[in-house]
Amino acid sequence: PDFFHTSLRPDSFKRRDVEKQLRELSAFRNEVWKKSGEFENLRTLGEAFLGACDVDKEIVKQELAAVKARWDKLNNELLERTQWLEETSRRLLDLSEQLRDLAHSVQRCEDKLASHDALGGAARDPKMLDRLKGLREESIGLRKPLGTVRQTANDLAGEAAEAGVSGGAQLQDEVEGLAERLDELQARLDDRCSQLQSAATALTQFNDQVKALSMDLAGLEEELESMKPPARDIKTVRVQIDDVNKLVNKIAHASDEVANAVSAGERLVDSGLTPDAQATRDQTDSLGRQLQRLDERVRARETELDTVLNRLHQFQQRQADVLEDIQQASEEVRRLKSVGSEVDVIKTQQEEFASFRRQVVEPIAKTVDEVNRLGSGLIQSAAGGVNTSALEKDLEKVNDKWNTLKDKLNERDRKLDVGLLHSGKFQEALDGLAKWLTDTEEMVANQKPPSADY
């Protein structure tokens, strides 16, 4: 204000200087108050003088009015100066308290962040993100009181400059120093939150990846479970093998994905972004075990189907071979010469037929046994509900033709035996009769003619 007097101006806008100026001003006002008696006495004398004289009253009135105006002005200026200093002191006190409270709040946030950083590896736990976000919100909330303090400091600095008093810039420096601390604190909090947000995102993506893979593997297990037992015909088994091969390809793809998940987990562990390294490894280990179990089961299924297919091929080939052998043997039996009429011929035929049995029929019998063993094994080992009617018909066909061949063989044996028997009896009878005839003929030939004496 323009009424400031140099001797009554505070040395600076520091509160102690303002308080000092208030005390000096109070002492000065006391001195003025002591003069108030003289002022009142002067006014009384002036009034008395005006009452006692008849001329030049206007001059006296003007002098009294001038003195009163100066007296009132002095007191008003002192009052205004006192009120201004008191208001300034109050505002400086408020500013000091606000700065102190704000500094304490900033310090509290800084201490919390320091405690967080002191956790080491645990400080990178994504679960700490909410706590840091809360701390960041707390620091952001300090911006409003900082703005209030800054405005107050700027106002006081402006008034100090207007009054030509130093110290205003120092107030602003204190506020800006606190603002810089708050800026640095928020920058550090933003950095920590960004790191933890990245960690949380990476961990969430990893957990989602593991969960999705586990569900995919479970789906592949269900697909394997839904496959029907190995069939007992080549066409169906080949279709089943194709289905298993498709599943194997899916598992190979899943294996690549599991490997990627393992690598992602190790990167999380190495970068310290996971709160529990062992738990992260346990997740990927569980995936690996799940994949291994599935792979082993699929490989077993694959082996089982290959074995069944090989046995079916073997059965089919042996069945075709034995049917052809039976057919050829039947043709050979059909082409055999009729049973002879002489014993020697029949015996020769028996020997030839016995040789035929040893060389042709007995190997066929072994093959028939093998075909029956293969077919019966396939039928008996089939799971419940698997259609084995085709195998049963194939076995029935083999056994029917084999039994027919055996019947023909037995019939040939019987004919040879009967022929030999009849031929032997005939020869014996023929030999006996021939001997009798010979003897009789000789006897007749040697008999003497009748004597004339008789």
Side-chain angles (χ1 to χ4, degrees):
D2 57 1
F3 53 79
F4 282 173
H5 190 278
T6 303
S7 63
L8 298 179
R9 180 184 301 160
D11 294 335
S12 74
F13 248 41
K14 293 181 179 179
R15 188 163 172 266
R16 66 173 181 271
D17 291 333
V18 173
E19 292 290 338
K20 176 184 176 184
Q21 185 62 41
L22 268 174
R23 289 192 298 272
E24 292 176 354
L25 185 59
S26 177
F28 185 74
R29 288 183 68 190
N30 286 335
E31 292 297 324
V32 172
W33 181 78
K34 290 177 182 179
K35 292 291 184 178
S36 62
E38 294 183 22
F39 171 68
E40 292 298 331
N41 186 46
L42 176 64
R43 288 184 62 190
T44 301
L45 289 174
E47 293 294 333
F49 179 65
L50 286 174
C53 66
D54 295 326
V55 295
D56 297 328
K57 288 185 177 183
E58 192 61 34
I59 296 174
V60 175
K61 287 181 180 180
Q62 289 177 355
E63 288 181 350
L64 285 175
V67 170
K68 184 177 184 303
R70 290 175 64 190
W71 179 262
D72 290 342
K73 180 181 179 184
L74 173 62
N75 279 281
N76 287 335
E77 287 183 354
L78 289 175
L79 178 61
E80 289 180 13
R81 172 62 65 87
T82 300
Q83 290 176 340
W84 182 81
L85 286 174
E86 287 176 344
E87 175 66 15
T88 300
S89 177
R90 183 191 64 76
R91 290 167 66 193
L92 286 171
L93 177 60
D94 290 344
L95 177 62
S96 175
E97 291 176 347
Q98 291 171 355
L99 276 172
R100 184 186 65 241
D101 292 343
L102 186 58
H104 286 167
S105 297
V106 172
Q107 184 64 50
R108 185 170 58 252
C109 291
E110 289 173 337
D111 291 343
K112 288 181 180 179
L113 180 57
S115 298
H116 169 81
D117 290 342
L119 295 175
R124 293 190 291 272
D125 185 348
K127 294 179 181 178
M128 304 292 289
L129 180 59
D130 289 340
R131 182 186 299 181
L132 275 186
K133 282 183 176 179
L135 184 56
R136 183 171 63 178
E137 290 301 317
E138 184 178 346
S139 69
I140 291 174
L142 299 179
R143 286 291 174 184
K144 184 175 181 180
L146 175 64
T148 301
V149 168
R150 178 180 276 137
Q151 185 60 51
T152 301
N154 289 340
D155 291 344
L156 287 170
E159 292 177 15
E162 184 180 348
V165 179
S166 65
Q170 185 177 354
L171 293 175
Q172 291 175 310
D173 290 343
E174 286 185 48
V175 174
E176 293 310 316
L178 194 56
E180 288 177 3
R181 283 177 60 190
L182 185 57
D183 289 341
E184 182 183 355
L185 172 65
Q186 287 189 336
R188 291 167 61 198
L189 284 170
D190 288 342
D191 180 62
R192 303 297 190 281
C193 286
S194 177
Q195 291 177 357
L196 286 184
Q197 186 63 61
S198 297
T201 300
L203 192 59
T204 298
Q205 290 175 344
F206 171 74
N207 289 332
D208 290 344
Q209 183 182 12
V210 170
K211 183 178 179 181
L213 274 174
S214 182
M215 292 177 64
D216 289 345
L217 291 176
L220 294 177
E221 288 177 350
E222 290 179 4
E223 186 175 342
L224 178 60
E225 291 287 349
S226 67
M227 290 183 173
K228 294 181 179 179
R232 286 301 183 263
D233 65 277
I234 291 175
K235 180 179 179 181
T236 304
V237 171
R238 281 176 174 163
V239 172
Q240 290 178 319
I241 289 176
D242 288 341
D243 291 340
V244 168
N245 288 336
K246 292 176 184 177
L247 185 58
V248 168
N249 291 334
K250 292 179 182 178
I251 293 174
H253 177 71
S255 178
D256 293 338
E257 293 298 321
V258 169
N260 291 337
V262 171
S263 298
E266 287 303 317
R267 286 195 297 272
L268 285 175
V269 171
D270 293 342
S271 60
L273 297 181
T274 175
D276 190 338
Q278 188 57 49
T280 299
R281 290 193 172 103
D282 287 344
Q283 283 181 283
T284 53
D285 289 346
S286 177
L287 277 180
R289 289 191 296 271
Q290 189 178 2
L291 176 65
Q292 184 178 1
R293 287 195 305 270
L294 177 60
D295 186 68
E296 288 173 353
R297 291 181 61 196
V298 169
R299 297 301 176 187
R301 167 80 174 181
E302 197 173 26
T303 300
E304 183 182 23
L305 287 171
D306 286 341
T307 300
V308 170
L309 183 62
N310 289 335
R311 290 173 65 191
L312 285 171
H313 276 304
Q314 185 181 9
F315 171 78
Q316 189 181 60
Q317 185 61 49
R318 300 302 287 162
Q319 186 228 15
D321 291 344
V322 79
L323 286 176
E324 184 178 353
D325 291 344
I326 291 173
Q327 182 63 32
Q328 290 178 355
S330 297
E331 288 295 324
E332 290 187 40
V333 171
R334 187 180 62 81
R335 290 195 297 268
L336 289 175
K337 295 179 180 180
S338 300
V339 177
S341 59
E342 298 180 2
V343 173
D344 292 340
V345 173
I346 294 174
K347 285 183 177 181
T348 300
Q349 287 180 320
Q350 282 183 323
E351 291 174 359
E352 291 174 349
F353 192 62
S355 175
F356 174 73
R357 276 184 173 277
R358 287 192 304 273
Q359 296 177 7
V360 177
V361 178
E362 288 179 5
I364 292 176
K366 291 180 180 179
T367 305
V368 169
D369 289 341
E370 182 183 359
V371 170
N372 275 303
R373 179 178 55 78
L374 287 172
S376 297
L378 285 166
I379 292 171
Q380 292 169 5
S381 63
V386 174
N387 188 354
T388 59
S389 59
L391 279 174
E392 293 168 3
K393 289 179 180 178
D394 288 342
L395 281 180
E396 185 178 353
K397 182 178 180 180
V398 169
N399 288 316
D400 285 346
K401 289 187 175 296
W402 172 240
N403 289 331
T404 299
L405 175 60
K406 287 195 296 183
D407 289 342
K408 291 180 180 179
L409 295 172
N410 292 334
E411 178 64 18
R412 176 70 175 180
D413 273 333
R414 188 187 65 79
K415 287 182 178 180
L416 287 172
D417 289 341
V418 170
L420 182 61
L421 177 62
H422 289 172
S423 177
K425 289 181 179 180
F426 172 76
Q427 190 65 45
E428 184 180 351
L430 179 61
D431 289 345
L433 181 59
K435 185 176 184 301
W436 177 81
L437 286 173
T438 300
D439 290 344
T440 302
E441 286 173 346
E442 288 179 357
M443 183 183 68
V444 171
N446 294 329
Q447 189 174 7
K448 295 179 179 180
S451 173
D453 293 337
Y454 293 98

